Amino acid sequence: MAKSNDNGFHSITWEDDHLRIIDQTFLPSREIYTNLNTTGQVWEAIKNMKVRGAPAIGIAAAYGLYLGARDIRESSYESFYLEIERLKVYLESSRPTAVNLQWALNRILTTIQAHKEKEVSELKDIILQTAQTIHDEDERLCKTIGEIGLEIVPEEAQILTHCNTGALAASKFGTAFSVIWHAHRENKVNSIWVDETRPLLQGARLTAWELKKEKIPFKLITDNTAGFLMQQELVDLVIVGADRIAANGDTANKIGTYTLAVLAKAHDIPFYVAAPYSTIDLSIENGDTIPIEERDTAEVTKIGSKEIAPAKIEVYNPAFDVTPHHLITGFITDNGLIRPDYKKSLGNFADREVGLEK
Amino acid sequence: MAKSNDNGFHSITWEDDHLRIIDQTFLPSREIYTNLNTTGQVWEAIKNMKVRGAPAIGIAAAYGLYLGARDIRESSYESFYLEIERLKVYLESSRPTAVNLQWALNRILTTIQAHKEKEVSELKDIILQTAQTIHDEDERLCKTIGEIGLEIVPEEAQILTHCNTGALAASKFGTAFSVIWHAHRENKVNSIWVDETRPLLQGARLTAWELKKEKIPFKLITDNTAGFLMQQELVDLVIVGADRIAANGDTANKIGTYTLAVLAKAHDIPFYVAAPYSTIDLSIENGDTIPIEERDTAEVTKIGSKEIAPAKIEVYNPAFDVTPHHLITGFITDNGLIRPDYKKSLGNFADREVGLEK
């Protein structure tokens, strides 16, 4: 069950009776693994971004549901299901913006509903198996995203990416990172621009760490430098991940994504979103109703233990923004490369399971 | 001679025989003052941004020239002037992008040239007097910038500003900060958005510190949040400072300024540059030839002593960018509010010394 990438780190591993994660808050200085034995520990790990990245938190939450489910003492289906629903609502509250988390938990609940006749002990096994299936599928679909994405990468590409979308954020390969990884293997990458991604510095801490491990050439920049690079014609392509994609293509992703999309448009640079197809939430018409998580002010005023701002000031710290569909050149998904008009095209790709057929 | 603002801090003070500065690298946690006794100490303070902000480094460099000049043992005008020129070239090397530094030093050299008949000891006095005049004038012109800027601030304004342009960056009031200060006094400010301004966090460390001292309401954001705020219609106006303005209006300022200008244009938000008229360098046609200072990689990879990125990686750290004139709504200068077409208008304001007439 262990998911490792070629460079020997495991972001999420199921080990017999518990979940083991690399605690991303210690990276890049220390590579520390943590065992999670309860739903509460998984909730806390997601909330405090020890495990993060839309696909990864979906996987972690699925196992987290099992960790709670296995201790449920109810013996009737109805009572058991009520408890499962309670765990689901609890886990969803850890990161409200990401749809993968909801998607993974809903998939488990739907699977249980299809096995009402089973014993509770069997249902518990089914939950674990479904979590493992979600985990396995994620690795395959991340590979598919990378292969499909090759098509849109020019030769000698200078690619700008935001936040972390690598093996830490998903299974092996990641999402936007998978496109970069595959393009590098095909010798199409000149260099990657990694923006640091304040406030939590996922670019500087995590993407730089993964690129270095993979020996992919890159340069780190502050978020403030992206516009200047585009003005100097040093960016051919922007690829980012996604936390939730509405039916019209509006995309919630890490704060700063929208700024990059506006900049890319102003400089006529292609702007792609790479994500599992499950990140598309056809139930919401557009981005207006996507909840935007606001996080703790200390993420902005402190770096590590160092105070970088005066004490007791007001801070506004939204964790995500929504990029409107008209700024997005295309979606690179495991179901294929999706072009506008998204209102029509996004739904049409629902049944194409390119990744899972391979 | 002491320049203090109403809240009792002195950014630059001439004290009998030496320069005294607040060491901005310790802010906001500690308010530490440092005495500078030699040209070399001033060079180092500018280079390492103990004193920073275009007007402030012009003032510091002027005093720095005197600190070197007073020790010159040459007795002939020609030999003395050669030494002064040498000091000028040396001081200019501390921050290549800022024109105020060159402007202040050139002004002193021009003044000396007009007094060739004087004794070297008298010339030394003239250098100090000119430095003090530049310092005094700066305070008056910063006030004028604030008063002139009032015109473009709407009621209940939500103003976004970048980097630090306050009394720390200039004399009392500052430049863009002066507009904010005066608008607040006229009850026109709803709230100020302060972006943290990576890598050196002048917004979080310095502007937040000054706004807090002045009791002007503000919220701190990451640089990544600016686009989202504009999208949410939470920004009415952007005002920034400048390090050098070309004859056509192209403006070099702290990295990230260009991104804000592109965002402002995309959201139809007025984007103003506030600066002393002396920041306009009519000798350069456009922004293409403005040298962009690249600074140390550690500014990006470390915050304080904390490493935030993997060791031994490549970093690109330009300190400035150039915002093209067509993205700038107007220039708020001590000589007046300057509107396009800048190729014509910027030069026309050269003889209007609004600030100095008051």
Side-chain angles (χ1 to χ4, degrees):
Chain A
M1 277 301 118
K3 296 285 174 291
S4 78
N5 79 355
D6 296 336
N7 287 291
F9 74 89
H10 308 243
S11 56
I12 303 179
T13 318
W14 178 255
E15 294 189 329
D16 300 331
D17 62 351
H18 65 273
L19 192 60
R20 184 171 172 81
I21 60 161
I22 187 166
D23 184 338
Q24 300 190 29
T25 61
F26 286 104
L27 289 173
S29 55
R30 296 166 70 194
E31 198 169 324
I32 290 178
Y33 292 82
T34 305
N35 293 335
L36 306 176
N37 294 291
T38 66
T39 306
Q41 286 173 357
V42 173
W43 185 92
E44 189 273 339
I46 294 172
K47 179 75 181 176
N48 293 324
M49 298 177 74
K50 293 174 181 174
V51 58
R52 46 146 294 288
I57 64 182
I59 297 164
Y63 287 119
L65 191 68
Y66 170 72
L67 290 171
R70 68 176 174 188
D71 293 337
I72 296 173
R73 293 174 185 280
E74 309 296 336
S75 58
S76 79
Y77 173 83
E78 286 71 20
S79 313
F80 178 75
Y81 191 82
L82 264 180
E83 287 301 298
I84 294 294
E85 275 193 318
R86 189 181 58 76
L87 290 169
K88 172 181 177 282
V89 170
Y90 170 62
L91 281 164
E92 282 176 352
S93 71
S94 59
R95 296 298 302 277
T97 305
V99 76
N100 305 62
L101 199 160
Q102 295 175 24
W103 171 86
L105 298 176
N106 283 334
R107 179 163 164 181
I108 292 175
L109 266 67
T110 306
T111 308
I112 295 173
Q113 285 164 359
H115 293 90
K116 284 184 178 152
E117 77 292 354
K118 296 266 164 79
E119 296 291 322
V120 163
S121 63
E122 291 175 292
L123 291 175
K124 290 178 181 178
D125 290 341
I126 288 171
I127 293 176
L128 178 58
Q129 285 156 19
T130 309
Q132 290 172 326
T133 301
I134 289 169
H135 196 179
D136 292 340
E137 282 177 9
D138 190 67
E139 178 169 327
R140 276 180 285 152
L141 72 83
C142 283
K143 186 165 187 291
T144 305
I145 286 171
E147 290 164 352
I148 288 176
L150 276 177
E151 176 185 339
I152 58 94
V153 179
E155 297 299 322
E156 287 291 311
Q158 299 181 96
I159 306 175
L160 173 63
T161 190
H162 188 59
C163 200
N164 173 264
T165 60
L168 289 166
S171 302
K172 190 172 169 180
F173 302 119
T175 55
F177 193 97
S178 181
V179 180
I180 290 168
W181 190 94
H182 284 84
H184 175 251
R185 206 178 51 167
E186 300 285 327
N187 291 313
K188 293 178 88 173
V189 170
N190 176 320
S191 183
I192 306 300
W193 295 109
V194 178
D195 69 29
E196 61 179 4
T197 318
R198 281 281 289 149
L200 289 180
L201 298 162
Q202 293 93 336
R205 293 192 301 109
L206 310 179
T207 301
W209 185 77
E210 289 200 50
L211 287 167
K212 192 181 174 192
K213 272 193 183 274
E214 298 283 354
K215 297 187 173 57
I216 299 173
F218 70 97
K219 283 187 183 166
L220 179 65
I221 55 168
T222 64
D223 303 310
N224 273 328
T225 308
F228 180 66
L229 291 180
M230 294 188 192
Q231 186 192 41
Q232 304 296 309
E233 301 182 1
L234 295 171
V235 179
D236 303 313
L237 179 64
V238 180
I239 316 179
V240 300
D243 286 78
R244 189 183 299 211
I245 301 164
N248 72 341
D250 292 354
T251 296
N253 191 45
K254 183 55 54 198
I255 190 78
T257 303
Y258 171 64
T259 289
L260 290 179
V262 171
L263 286 169
K265 188 75 163 186
H267 295 86
D268 209 17
I269 295 168
F271 182 93
Y272 283 90
V273 173
Y277 188 81
S278 59
T279 313
I280 300 166
D281 185 350
L282 293 172
S283 75
I284 52 167
E285 197 179 333
N286 59 49
D288 296 349
T289 54
I290 299 177
I292 299 295
E293 178 188 0
E294 265 189 65
R295 294 182 60 86
D296 191 38
T297 61
E299 289 185 354
V300 179
T301 60
K302 292 173 78 169
I303 294 181
S305 59
K306 184 169 174 66
E307 298 277 358
I308 59 161
K312 293 177 188 167
I313 61 169
E314 282 196 73
V315 173
Y316 182 52
N317 182 26
F320 300 92
D321 56 31
V322 176
T323 299
H325 59 90
H326 63 87
L327 298 179
I328 298 168
T329 312
F331 291 91
I332 306 164
T333 78
D334 45 308
N335 287 9
L337 183 62
I338 311 180
R339 302 280 188 187
D341 173 355
Y342 300 125
K343 264 189 194 170
K344 295 175 189 165
S345 57
L346 283 179
N348 288 344
F349 278 74
D351 300 324
R352 292 181 50 181
E353 301 205 353
V354 180
L356 305 184
E357 282 165 11
K358 291 214 169 181
Chain B
M1 278 302 117
K3 296 285 172 292
S4 77
N5 79 353
D6 295 337
N7 286 291
F9 74 90
H10 308 243
S11 55
I12 303 179
T13 319
W14 178 254
E15 293 190 329
D16 299 332
D17 62 351
H18 65 272
L19 193 60
R20 186 173 171 80
I21 60 162
I22 187 166
D23 184 339
Q24 300 190 30
T25 62
F26 287 103
L27 289 172
S29 55
R30 296 167 70 195
E31 197 170 326
I32 290 178
Y33 292 82
T34 304
N35 293 335
L36 306 177
N37 293 290
T38 66
T39 307
Q41 286 174 357
V42 172
W43 185 93
E44 189 274 339
I46 294 172
K47 179 74 181 176
N48 294 325
M49 299 177 74
K50 293 175 181 172
V51 57
R52 48 144 293 288
I57 63 180
I59 296 165
Y63 286 120
L65 192 68
Y66 171 71
L67 290 172
R70 69 177 173 188
D71 292 337
I72 296 173
R73 293 177 185 278
E74 308 296 335
S75 57
S76 78
Y77 172 81
E78 286 73 21
S79 313
F80 178 76
Y81 190 81
L82 265 179
E83 288 300 297
I84 294 294
E85 275 193 316
R86 189 181 57 77
L87 290 168
K88 170 181 178 282
V89 170
Y90 171 63
L91 281 164
E92 281 176 354
S93 71
S94 60
R95 296 298 304 276
T97 306
V99 75
N100 305 62
L101 198 162
Q102 295 174 24
W103 172 86
L105 298 176
N106 282 333
R107 178 163 164 180
I108 292 176
L109 266 65
T110 306
T111 308
I112 295 173
Q113 285 164 359
H115 292 91
K116 282 182 181 155
E117 76 293 352
K118 296 264 163 79
E119 294 292 320
V120 163
S121 63
E122 291 175 291
L123 292 175
K124 291 177 179 178
D125 290 343
I126 288 171
I127 293 175
L128 178 57
Q129 285 157 19
T130 309
Q132 291 173 325
T133 302
I134 289 169
H135 195 177
D136 291 341
E137 282 176 11
D138 189 68
E139 178 169 329
R140 276 179 286 153
L141 72 83
C142 283
K143 185 165 188 292
T144 304
I145 286 171
E147 290 165 353
I148 287 176
L150 276 177
E151 178 185 336
I152 57 95
V153 180
E155 298 300 321
E156 286 292 310
Q158 299 182 96
I159 306 174
L160 173 63
T161 190
H162 188 56
C163 198
N164 173 264
T165 60
L168 289 167
S171 301
K172 190 172 168 178
F173 302 119
T175 55
F177 193 98
S178 182
V179 179
I180 290 168
W181 190 94
H182 283 85
H184 175 251
R185 206 179 50 169
E186 300 287 326
N187 292 314
K188 296 178 86 173
V189 170
N190 176 319
S191 182
I192 306 299
W193 295 109
V194 179
D195 70 30
E196 62 179 4
T197 318
R198 280 280 290 151
L200 289 180
L201 298 161
Q202 292 94 336
R205 293 192 301 110
L206 309 178
T207 302
W209 185 77
E210 288 199 49
L211 287 166
K212 191 180 174 192
K213 272 193 183 273
E214 298 284 353
K215 298 187 172 56
I216 299 172
F218 71 96
K219 283 187 183 165
L220 179 65
I221 56 167
T222 64
D223 303 310
N224 273 328
T225 309
F228 180 67
L229 291 180
M230 293 188 194
Q231 187 192 40
Q232 303 297 309
E233 299 181 3
L234 295 170
V235 179
D236 304 312
L237 179 65
V238 181
I239 318 180
V240 299
D243 286 79
R244 190 183 297 210
I245 300 163
N248 72 340
D250 291 353
T251 296
N253 192 45
K254 183 56 54 197
I255 190 78
T257 303
Y258 171 63
T259 290
L260 290 178
V262 171
L263 287 169
K265 188 74 163 188
H267 295 85
D268 210 15
I269 295 168
F271 182 93
Y272 282 91
V273 173
Y277 188 80
S278 60
T279 311
I280 300 166
D281 186 350
L282 292 172
S283 75
I284 51 168
E285 198 179 332
N286 59 50
D288 296 348
T289 55
I290 298 177
I292 299 294
E293 178 187 0
E294 265 189 65
R295 292 182 60 87
D296 192 37
T297 60
E299 288 184 357
V300 179
T301 59
K302 293 173 77 169
I303 294 180
S305 60
K306 184 169 174 66
E307 299 277 357
I308 58 162
K312 293 177 189 167
I313 61 168
E314 282 197 73
V315 173
Y316 182 51
N317 182 26
F320 300 93
D321 57 30
V322 175
T323 299
H325 58 91
H326 64 87
L327 298 178
I328 299 168
T329 313
F331 290 91
I332 306 164
T333 78
D334 45 308
N335 287 9
L337 183 62
I338 311 180
R339 301 280 190 188
D341 172 356
Y342 299 125
K343 262 190 195 169
K344 295 174 187 165
S345 57
L346 283 178
N348 288 344
F349 278 73
D351 299 325
R352 292 181 50 182
E353 301 204 354
V354 179
L356 306 183
E357 282 164 13
K358 289 213 169 183

mmCIF file of all heavy atoms in Angstrom, chain B residues 4 59-60 79 99 102 104 112 121 139 145 182 192 206-207 212-213 260 278 324 337 354:
data_model
loop_
_atom_site.group_PDB
_atom_site.id
_atom_site.type_symbol
_atom_site.label_atom_id
_atom_site.label_comp_id
_atom_site.label_asym_id
_atom_site.label_seq_id
_atom_site.Cartn_x
_atom_site.Cartn_y
_atom_site.Cartn_z
ATOM 1 N N SER B 4 11.524 64.937 13.253
ATOM 2 C CA SER B 4 10.727 63.909 13.911
ATOM 3 C C SER B 4 9.311 64.015 13.386
ATOM 4 O O SER B 4 8.885 65.072 12.949
ATOM 5 C CB SER B 4 10.728 64.107 15.425
ATOM 6 O OG SER B 4 9.854 65.155 15.772
ATOM 7 N N ILE B 59 18.824 61.829 0.985
ATOM 8 C CA ILE B 59 19.232 62.666 2.131
ATOM 9 C C ILE B 59 20.455 62.054 2.817
ATOM 10 O O ILE B 59 21.451 62.750 3.080
ATOM 11 C CB ILE B 59 18.055 62.792 3.133
ATOM 12 C CG1 ILE B 59 16.873 63.522 2.486
ATOM 13 C CG2 ILE B 59 18.510 63.502 4.410
ATOM 14 C CD1 ILE B 59 15.550 63.375 3.244
ATOM 15 N N ALA B 60 20.394 60.749 3.079
ATOM 16 C CA ALA B 60 21.513 60.091 3.763
ATOM 17 C C ALA B 60 22.793 60.196 2.943
ATOM 18 O O ALA B 60 23.878 60.457 3.486
ATOM 19 C CB ALA B 60 21.165 58.624 4.033
ATOM 20 N N SER B 79 41.777 69.450 -6.845
ATOM 21 C CA SER B 79 42.045 68.192 -6.142
ATOM 22 C C SER B 79 40.871 67.826 -5.229
ATOM 23 O O SER B 79 40.465 66.669 -5.131
ATOM 24 C CB SER B 79 43.310 68.301 -5.290
ATOM 25 O OG SER B 79 44.342 68.872 -6.031
ATOM 26 N N VAL B 99 17.038 57.182 -8.277
ATOM 27 C CA VAL B 99 17.604 58.381 -8.886
ATOM 28 C C VAL B 99 17.803 59.490 -7.852
ATOM 29 O O VAL B 99 18.643 60.365 -8.034
ATOM 30 C CB VAL B 99 16.723 58.877 -10.064
ATOM 31 C CG1 VAL B 99 15.467 59.555 -9.569
ATOM 32 C CG2 VAL B 99 17.512 59.809 -10.959
ATOM 33 N N GLN B 102 21.376 59.920 -6.785
ATOM 34 C CA GLN B 102 22.193 60.636 -7.782
ATOM 35 C C GLN B 102 21.821 62.108 -7.821
ATOM 36 O O GLN B 102 22.683 62.978 -7.926
ATOM 37 C CB GLN B 102 21.984 60.026 -9.173
ATOM 38 C CG GLN B 102 22.473 58.591 -9.274
ATOM 39 C CD GLN B 102 22.120 57.969 -10.610
ATOM 40 O OE1 GLN B 102 21.919 58.669 -11.605
ATOM 41 N NE2 GLN B 102 22.035 56.649 -10.642
ATOM 42 N N ALA B 104 20.589 64.029 -5.461
ATOM 43 C CA ALA B 104 21.085 64.761 -4.289
ATOM 44 C C ALA B 104 22.584 65.030 -4.419
ATOM 45 O O ALA B 104 23.059 66.143 -4.148
ATOM 46 C CB ALA B 104 20.792 63.956 -3.012
ATOM 47 N N ILE B 112 28.910 73.151 -5.531
ATOM 48 C CA ILE B 112 30.352 73.378 -5.352
ATOM 49 C C ILE B 112 30.947 74.068 -6.576
ATOM 50 O O ILE B 112 31.722 75.015 -6.456
ATOM 51 C CB ILE B 112 31.087 72.039 -5.099
ATOM 52 C CG1 ILE B 112 30.633 71.422 -3.779
ATOM 53 C CG2 ILE B 112 32.603 72.255 -5.063
ATOM 54 C CD1 ILE B 112 31.193 70.037 -3.545
ATOM 55 N N SER B 121 37.793 74.740 2.992
ATOM 56 C CA SER B 121 37.053 74.660 4.260
ATOM 57 C C SER B 121 35.645 75.240 4.109
ATOM 58 O O SER B 121 34.681 74.725 4.678
ATOM 59 C CB SER B 121 37.811 75.402 5.361
ATOM 60 O OG SER B 121 37.892 76.783 5.034
ATOM 61 N N GLU B 139 11.090 67.547 3.645
ATOM 62 C CA GLU B 139 9.952 67.556 4.549
ATOM 63 C C GLU B 139 8.820 68.407 3.978
ATOM 64 O O GLU B 139 7.648 67.996 3.990
ATOM 65 C CB GLU B 139 10.354 68.080 5.937
ATOM 66 C CG GLU B 139 9.161 68.144 6.873
ATOM 67 C CD GLU B 139 9.536 68.405 8.331
ATOM 68 O OE1 GLU B 139 10.626 67.970 8.752
ATOM 69 O OE2 GLU B 139 8.734 69.051 9.025
ATOM 70 N N ILE B 145 3.104 66.977 -1.362
ATOM 71 C CA ILE B 145 2.612 65.783 -2.072
ATOM 72 C C ILE B 145 1.314 65.294 -1.429
ATOM 73 O O ILE B 145 0.337 64.983 -2.114
ATOM 74 C CB ILE B 145 3.689 64.670 -2.068
ATOM 75 C CG1 ILE B 145 4.814 65.028 -3.039
ATOM 76 C CG2 ILE B 145 3.087 63.306 -2.412
ATOM 77 C CD1 ILE B 145 6.036 64.113 -2.956
ATOM 78 N N HIS B 182 -2.671 62.560 4.946
ATOM 79 C CA HIS B 182 -3.519 63.752 4.796
ATOM 80 C C HIS B 182 -4.983 63.368 4.551
ATOM 81 O O HIS B 182 -5.892 64.013 5.058
ATOM 82 C CB HIS B 182 -2.982 64.648 3.680
ATOM 83 C CG HIS B 182 -1.769 65.447 4.085
ATOM 84 N ND1 HIS B 182 -0.482 64.933 4.013
ATOM 85 C CD2 HIS B 182 -1.642 66.696 4.605
ATOM 86 C CE1 HIS B 182 0.373 65.846 4.449
ATOM 87 N NE2 HIS B 182 -0.296 66.930 4.823
ATOM 88 N N ILE B 192 -6.857 51.198 4.983
ATOM 89 C CA ILE B 192 -5.697 51.021 4.116
ATOM 90 C C ILE B 192 -5.377 49.531 4.027
ATOM 91 O O ILE B 192 -5.359 48.838 5.051
ATOM 92 C CB ILE B 192 -4.466 51.779 4.681
ATOM 93 C CG1 ILE B 192 -4.807 53.257 4.941
ATOM 94 C CG2 ILE B 192 -3.259 51.632 3.756
ATOM 95 C CD1 ILE B 192 -5.233 54.039 3.727
ATOM 96 N N LEU B 206 7.336 47.942 8.189
ATOM 97 C CA LEU B 206 7.519 49.379 8.312
ATOM 98 C C LEU B 206 6.221 50.176 8.120
ATOM 99 O O LEU B 206 5.888 51.022 8.949
ATOM 100 C CB LEU B 206 8.577 49.850 7.295
ATOM 101 C CG LEU B 206 9.897 49.049 7.316
ATOM 102 C CD1 LEU B 206 10.849 49.569 6.249
ATOM 103 C CD2 LEU B 206 10.556 49.104 8.694
ATOM 104 N N THR B 207 5.495 49.900 7.027
ATOM 105 C CA THR B 207 4.262 50.659 6.801
ATOM 106 C C THR B 207 3.244 50.342 7.892
ATOM 107 O O THR B 207 2.586 51.253 8.419
ATOM 108 C CB THR B 207 3.699 50.353 5.405
ATOM 109 O OG1 THR B 207 4.692 50.692 4.433
ATOM 110 C CG2 THR B 207 2.431 51.147 5.125
ATOM 111 N N LYS B 212 0.220 52.124 12.396
ATOM 112 C CA LYS B 212 -0.196 51.857 13.777
ATOM 113 C C LYS B 212 0.140 53.058 14.666
ATOM 114 O O LYS B 212 -0.684 53.493 15.472
ATOM 115 C CB LYS B 212 0.498 50.588 14.281
ATOM 116 C CG LYS B 212 -0.062 50.066 15.588
ATOM 117 C CD LYS B 212 0.665 48.809 16.057
ATOM 118 C CE LYS B 212 0.161 48.428 17.450
ATOM 119 N NZ LYS B 212 1.006 47.404 18.084
ATOM 120 N N LYS B 213 1.331 53.594 14.511
ATOM 121 C CA LYS B 213 1.728 54.780 15.283
ATOM 122 C C LYS B 213 0.801 55.961 15.009
ATOM 123 O O LYS B 213 0.484 56.747 15.895
ATOM 124 C CB LYS B 213 3.162 55.196 14.910
ATOM 125 C CG LYS B 213 4.248 54.513 15.738
ATOM 126 C CD LYS B 213 5.598 55.211 15.538
ATOM 127 C CE LYS B 213 6.702 54.516 16.288
ATOM 128 N NZ LYS B 213 6.828 54.990 17.687
ATOM 129 N N LEU B 260 0.806 45.045 -9.400
ATOM 130 C CA LEU B 260 -0.333 45.826 -8.893
ATOM 131 C C LEU B 260 -0.916 46.721 -9.981
ATOM 132 O O LEU B 260 -2.129 46.900 -10.073
ATOM 133 C CB LEU B 260 0.099 46.683 -7.699
ATOM 134 C CG LEU B 260 0.427 45.936 -6.413
ATOM 135 C CD1 LEU B 260 0.873 46.921 -5.338
ATOM 136 C CD2 LEU B 260 -0.783 45.146 -5.923
ATOM 137 N N SER B 278 11.875 65.444 -8.125
ATOM 138 C CA SER B 278 13.266 65.095 -8.432
ATOM 139 C C SER B 278 13.454 63.620 -8.783
ATOM 140 O O SER B 278 14.514 63.221 -9.256
ATOM 141 C CB SER B 278 14.168 65.454 -7.249
ATOM 142 O OG SER B 278 13.759 64.747 -6.090
ATOM 143 N N PRO B 324 5.090 50.385 -16.943
ATOM 144 C CA PRO B 324 4.998 51.265 -18.111
ATOM 145 C C PRO B 324 3.974 52.383 -17.885
ATOM 146 O O PRO B 324 2.977 52.190 -17.179
ATOM 147 C CB PRO B 324 4.578 50.330 -19.247
ATOM 148 C CG PRO B 324 4.039 49.118 -18.591
ATOM 149 C CD PRO B 324 4.652 49.011 -17.231
ATOM 150 N N LEU B 337 -0.049 67.715 -9.690
ATOM 151 C CA LEU B 337 -0.601 66.436 -10.127
ATOM 152 C C LEU B 337 -0.427 66.364 -11.639
ATOM 153 O O LEU B 337 -0.960 67.201 -12.375
ATOM 154 C CB LEU B 337 -2.084 66.379 -9.747
ATOM 155 C CG LEU B 337 -2.855 65.106 -10.041
ATOM 156 C CD1 LEU B 337 -2.271 63.915 -9.283
ATOM 157 C CD2 LEU B 337 -4.322 65.302 -9.662
ATOM 158 N N VAL B 354 5.741 74.131 -6.609
ATOM 159 C CA VAL B 354 4.615 74.361 -5.707
ATOM 160 C C VAL B 354 5.064 74.242 -4.251
ATOM 161 O O VAL B 354 4.794 75.097 -3.422
ATOM 162 C CB VAL B 354 3.496 73.319 -5.973
ATOM 163 C CG1 VAL B 354 2.330 73.541 -5.030
ATOM 164 C CG2 VAL B 354 3.051 73.397 -7.427
#
